[in-house]
Amino acid sequence: MASVPYPFTAVVGMSDMRLSLLLNAISPAIGGVLVRGEKGTAKSTIVRGLTALMPDVPVVTGCRFSCDPAAPDPACPDGPHETYGSEERPARMVELPVGASEDRLVGALDIERALSEGVKAFEPGLLADAHRGILYVDEVNLLHDHLVDLLLDAAAMGASYVEREGVSVRHAARFLLVGTMNPEEGELRPQLLDRFGLTVEVAASREPDQRVEVVRRRLSYDADPEGFAARWAAEEGELRERIAAARALLPDVVLGDAVLRQIAAVCAAFEVDGMRADIVMARTAGALAAWAGRTEVREEDVRQAALLALPHRRRRNPFDAPGLDEDKLDQVLEEFGADDDPEPDPEPDGGPEDGPDGPGGGQPPQDGDGEGGADGPQGQEAQTPHDQPQLPEQPQAPDPEPAPADPKAQSHNAEDEAPGGGEKAAVAAGDPFRTRRLDVPGLGEGADGRRSRARTAHGRTTGARRPQGTLTKLHLAATVQAAAPHQVARGRSGPGLVVRRDDLREAVREGREGNLVLFVVDASGSMAARKRMSAVKGAVLSLLLDAYQRRDKIGMITFRGAGAELALPPTSSVEAGAARLESLPTGGRTPLAAGLLKAHEVLRVERLRDASRRPLLVVVTDGRSTGGPDPLVRTSRAARLLGAEGVASVVVDCEAGPVRLGLARELARDLQGTAVTLDELRADSVSALVRDVRGQGNNHTTRRAA
C-alpha cells in the first residue's frame, strides 16, 4: 500500500463530493459529510486526499488529547497544561473499522488498577485521536449499534465519557465526521443519518473518455506514487491556500434576514424534522459564500446548500430514497426571495467554476458532469423510489375463489396448471402496518439487534463469570464476593480491599440480537387474485419494515411455475427486499416443496458463513401445492426436514374464500412452527399471536437453546 495518499485535485469528476468535503474543511461546524454510492467509485480515496489539505493544528506538547494551547480543556485527563509548551502538527484522519470494539473507540480503563490502587489508568481511543481532526468511517451503515450510540453521544456533546463501575474519564472529542456507504448493503439509523451535515450521491461516470482518464491516472499513481503526487503538488498547494483564505473570510460573511427567511421557508416546505436542517443550511450557505470570496450570502448559495443538506433529511420511511424536488425548491426560493438581491458576479479565479479536474473541484455539477453530476443530489428526485401506493386503509375482502373439497384435487386448478404461463403483471403492495414481534426461541449469541433474546455486551446483567480476555464489564458485587474470603490471608490492614486478578468477575448480560429473516413467498396462480396479492405484499412489506427496525438481515425466495428462485440473497439492505417485492409477478403452478427445499439450502450456506446469526423462516402462502407427483407429500417432507433441524418458522396463512382447506396450518405443524393469518399479524389485532415462534412441542426449542 502506497504511503503517499492520492492527491485530492487528481480525482476525476466527483464534483458534489469534493465540494461538500471542501465546505466542511472551511467550516467544520457544518457537521460532516455522508457519501452514498456504489462500490468502486473512489469514495475512500478522495476522503483520504482531503487530509493533506487541512491546516496544521496547534496542540499542547505531550497531550494525548490534542488540547488547543489557546484554550486547553480544563478537564483533560493529561492536564492541567499551564506549564506545557505548544507545537503544530498535521491534522489527523482517524479511521474507525467496522469491527472495532467499544474500548478501541472510546478508550480503555484499567479496572484492576482502579480497584486495587485507586489509579485512573486510561488508554485513549480513536475518539481522542480524532479530536480536532477527521473521523472517517468506511461502510458506516454496517457499524454495530452500540458503536453508533457512542458516536451519536460524542457528536452531540463534543466529548467522550468512559465509565466503568463508578470510575469515569471524560475528554473533548470534536471532529469532522465523514462516512461512506453502499446503500445496497443497508441504510443508516435515522439518528445517525441526521448527524451528518451534508450528503452526496456518487456513481461511476458512464462517459468513456472520463473513465479512460480515471484509469490512466490511477495506473500512473500505482506505478510511482511519489512522482504522481509531485506532479499535482502545485494544484494541491493552490487549493490549500484557497481553503485557508476562505476560513479567514468566513467570520465576516453576513447572513441577512432575507436569506434566513429563505432557509426557513425551504426547510418548512420540505417538512424536515427539527431545526438542525436550518442551522446546517445556514452554515453551508456561509461557507459557500466564503469559498466564492464573498462576504454576503446569495440565493444561489441557499439553493446549493439545500441540495446538499436536505435530501437525507426528507425521508419519511426507510423505503424512501434520498432526493429533492428541484422545481419545488425553485418555487420556494422565488416566493421568499429578496427583491434587492444583487446580480450574481463571476466567481473569482480558481473558484468553483474550475473544471471537474481543476484544483477547485467545487463547480455545482451539471447533467453528465462526471461521477458527481446527474447522479448527485442535483437533479436527483430518487433513483428507485418506493412510494407507498394510495390504497384503502383496510384492504377489501378478496373475491371468493372456488376450492375443491379434496386437497389433492388442487392439481386440476386450470390457472395453476397453465404450463409456465398464466403470468400476471406485478401488483402494487397494500399499505404497510405495524406487525407483532416474531422471536426466535432460546438464547442466542448473534449480532446486536432488537428481535430475539441473546447474550450480548449490552443489556441487563444476569450473572457473572471469570473474564474472557480483557475485562471491560466489571461485576462489582461478584468481584468483592470473590475477594472477601482471602483478606486475612493477604494481610489486609487498611480500609482498602486487597484485590487480585483471580478475583475479578465480568458481568454476563442479556439483550436482543438481530436475526436472519428468510421470506419464502408464494407467487403462484393460486395467489394471483389482485386484491389478495396486494394485501399479501402489504404484509410482507410490513415485515420488511419490522426487520429494518430490529436490525435483521433479510433474504427472499419466491416460488411459482416450474420452481423456486432466490430473489434476494441474504443482505442488510431491506430497501432491496422492498424493490424485489414491488416487481414480483404472479401466476403458474405452486411448487411449494421447491420453495422449502431452496430455503433449506440457503440456510445451510448462511449457517456456514455466520453460525451465530439464528434464522427465522417466514413462509407466506395459502398452503396449496401443485405440480409433479404427490405435491402435498413432497411438501410435507420438505417442511419436516426444516422442522427437524430446529429452524424457527412462522407461516402467514393467506387462504381466502368461503371454503378453506387449512393447508397452511398443516404446513406449520410439519415445520414445528406457528401459523398466523394476515389479521393476526397486525400489532393492533384483537387476535392473540404467540410472541415466541414455537411449535406444538418444545423439543426443538431445547435443542436450539443448548
Side-chain angles (χ1 to χ4, degrees):
M1 180 178 178
S3 59
V4 178
Y6 192 92
F8 187 90
T9 51
V11 174
V12 179
M14 311 283 281
S15 301
D16 273 356
M17 181 176 175
R18 290 196 290 177
L19 177 60
S20 297
L21 291 171
L22 290 171
L23 294 176
N24 273 273
I26 294 168
S27 177
I30 288 174
V33 184
L34 174 64
V35 184
R36 299 164 45 93
E38 59 195 27
K39 52 186 177 294
T41 50
K43 299 187 296 291
S44 303
T45 298
I46 193 170
V47 172
R48 294 185 178 100
L50 175 69
T51 310
L53 303 177
M54 300 288 286
D56 289 346
V57 178
V59 298
V60 173
T61 303
C63 178
R64 296 175 297 168
F65 302 89
S66 302
C67 281
D68 187 350
D73 182 4
C76 176
D78 284 355
H81 295 309
E82 285 78 4
T83 60
Y84 285 65
S86 64
E87 60 184 9
E88 287 195 352
R89 61 161 177 79
R92 293 173 179 164
M93 188 192 78
V94 177
E95 296 191 44
L96 173 61
V98 170
S101 65
E102 179 179 333
D103 284 348
R104 184 72 186 98
L105 177 62
V106 301
L109 193 62
D110 192 330
I111 300 298
E112 184 179 2
R113 291 188 62 191
L115 287 176
S116 59
E117 304 176 26
V119 176
K120 291 184 180 180
F122 180 68
E123 184 66 28
L126 295 178
L127 290 180
D129 293 340
H131 180 47
R132 304 177 67 204
I134 300 173
L135 181 62
Y136 172 53
V137 188
D138 194 13
E139 305 294 351
V140 63
N141 51 323
L142 303 182
L143 202 62
H144 288 300
D145 274 3
H146 67 282
L147 297 183
V148 170
D149 292 335
L150 294 170
L151 273 181
L152 289 175
D153 291 341
M157 298 183 294
S160 175
Y161 293 84
V162 183
E163 297 190 6
R164 298 287 188 271
E165 301 297 336
V167 181
S168 63
V169 174
R170 174 258 181 214
H171 64 82
R174 293 183 295 275
F175 45 81
L176 168 58
L177 182 61
V178 180
T180 59
M181 60 173 283
N182 182 354
E184 294 179 357
E185 297 173 341
E187 281 292 345
L188 273 177
R189 288 173 54 182
Q191 296 93 331
L192 183 58
L193 190 65
D194 188 54
R195 292 293 180 184
F196 286 97
L198 310 179
T199 186
V200 292
E201 297 272 342
V202 297
S205 172
R206 300 297 183 259
E207 174 59 42
D209 290 342
Q210 197 169 56
R211 295 175 74 96
V212 166
E213 185 61 23
V214 170
V215 175
R216 181 183 293 115
R217 293 187 186 183
R218 184 68 207 193
L219 293 177
S220 177
Y221 169 77
D222 290 340
D224 181 12
E226 291 80 6
F228 185 84
R231 291 194 292 275
W232 289 88
E235 288 83 354
E236 292 279 290
E238 291 175 6
L239 187 54
R240 190 180 299 108
E241 291 177 1
R242 185 174 175 191
I243 292 173
R247 274 193 168 193
L249 183 62
L250 185 62
D252 298 327
V253 172
V254 177
L255 278 163
D257 289 343
V259 169
L260 291 175
R261 192 161 49 249
Q262 279 187 318
I263 291 173
V266 168
C267 292
F270 285 98
E271 300 180 344
V272 295
D273 296 329
M275 295 297 298
R276 183 175 284 114
D278 304 63
I279 296 171
V280 170
M281 272 191 64
R283 290 170 174 167
T284 304
L288 282 163
W291 175 243
R294 290 184 269 102
T295 57
E296 60 180 10
V297 175
R298 299 179 179 174
E299 183 174 306
E300 60 263 30
D301 300 324
V302 176
R303 187 181 193 278
Q304 181 69 53
L307 293 172
L308 295 175
L310 296 188
H312 62 300
R313 292 187 166 90
R314 61 162 295 276
R315 297 180 61 190
R316 310 317 298 173
N317 68 62
F319 304 135
D320 289 340
L324 212 62
D325 185 341
E326 289 196 60
D327 292 337
K328 180 177 179 180
L329 174 62
D330 291 335
Q331 291 175 4
V332 176
L333 290 174
E334 182 178 356
E335 180 180 355
F336 290 88
D339 296 332
D340 56 350
D341 277 351
E343 291 296 324
D345 294 333
E347 299 289 355
D349 292 341
E353 79 277 12
D354 291 347
D357 302 330
Q363 171 69 25
Q366 306 299 322
D367 290 346
D369 181 21
E371 298 174 1
D375 295 317
Q378 296 91 334
Q380 178 168 347
E381 174 62 21
Q383 292 184 358
T384 49
H386 305 299
D387 298 329
Q388 301 303 329
Q390 299 299 318
L391 296 177
E393 292 186 3
Q394 295 294 335
Q396 300 296 318
D399 296 330
E401 295 184 5
D406 182 358
K408 293 185 179 181
Q410 300 168 71
S411 59
H412 298 291
N413 184 302
E415 185 179 31
D416 285 353
E417 286 299 318
E423 178 174 312
K424 297 186 178 181
V427 176
D431 292 332
F433 51 84
R434 188 167 64 90
T435 66
R436 291 180 179 267
R437 187 176 69 206
L438 305 175
D439 294 349
V440 176
L443 191 64
E445 294 184 349
D448 287 348
R450 295 183 178 178
R451 184 172 296 279
S452 305
R453 293 175 54 223
R455 297 185 184 93
T456 60
H458 304 82
R460 63 186 182 90
T461 300
T462 59
R465 65 184 177 188
R466 292 182 182 274
Q468 299 178 348
T470 303
L471 176 64
T472 57
K473 304 292 183 182
L474 178 73
H475 195 297
L476 185 58
T479 298
V480 172
Q481 186 177 9
H486 308 290
Q487 297 306 297
V488 175
R490 292 173 183 173
R492 174 186 172 187
S493 58
L497 192 67
V498 181
V499 179
R500 304 279 175 83
R501 179 173 293 275
D502 290 343
D503 302 327
L504 298 177
R505 298 291 185 270
E506 68 179 4
V508 176
R509 300 189 175 183
E510 181 179 312
R512 293 277 173 180
E513 67 177 359
N515 299 109
L516 167 61
V517 182
L518 182 61
F519 294 91
V520 181
V521 182
D522 187 346
S524 66
S526 67
M527 300 282 287
R530 188 172 190 85
K531 290 181 179 179
R532 189 202 307 185
M533 198 60 199
S534 176
V536 167
K537 282 190 174 183
V540 177
L541 190 67
S542 303
L543 289 168
L544 286 171
L545 180 58
D546 181 70
Y548 167 82
Q549 294 169 340
R550 301 193 187 283
R551 313 291 182 258
D552 295 319
K553 289 181 67 175
I554 60 114
M556 185 179 298
I557 294 171
T558 61
F559 58 93
R560 57 182 290 273
E565 174 191 6
L566 180 58
L568 180 69
T571 176
S572 297
S573 177
V574 179
E575 293 77 8
R580 300 294 194 281
L581 180 69
E582 192 71 22
S583 60
L584 178 65
T586 58
R589 294 171 176 156
T590 312
L592 177 54
L596 296 176
L597 291 175
K598 187 71 172 180
H600 179 269
E601 176 62 19
V602 170
L603 294 179
R604 184 188 67 81
V605 173
E606 287 302 310
R607 195 177 299 118
L608 295 175
R609 291 177 177 172
D610 186 359
S612 64
R613 188 180 287 270
R614 299 185 296 162
L616 173 62
L617 183 66
V618 179
V619 185
V620 184
T621 181
D622 57 8
R624 298 184 182 185
S625 180
T626 62
D630 297 325
L632 292 177
V633 173
R634 290 188 292 110
T635 296
S636 178
R637 288 175 180 172
R640 290 178 181 179
L641 176 63
L642 288 163
E645 294 187 353
V647 176
S649 59
V650 59
V651 178
V652 180
D653 185 358
C654 304
E655 190 175 24
V659 180
R660 307 203 178 191
L661 305 176
L663 297 175
R665 297 192 177 275
E666 291 183 13
L667 175 64
R669 283 194 292 270
D670 288 336
L671 287 167
Q672 299 184 37
T674 300
V676 297
T677 64
L678 292 177
D679 181 62
E680 290 171 336
L681 193 61
R682 294 176 178 269
D684 56 358
S685 172
V686 296
S687 302
L689 177 65
V690 179
R691 290 171 63 91
D692 293 335
V693 183
R694 298 185 175 93
Q696 293 179 350
N698 291 326
N699 292 336
H700 73 288
T701 300
T702 304
R703 288 196 300 272
R704 297 298 293 175

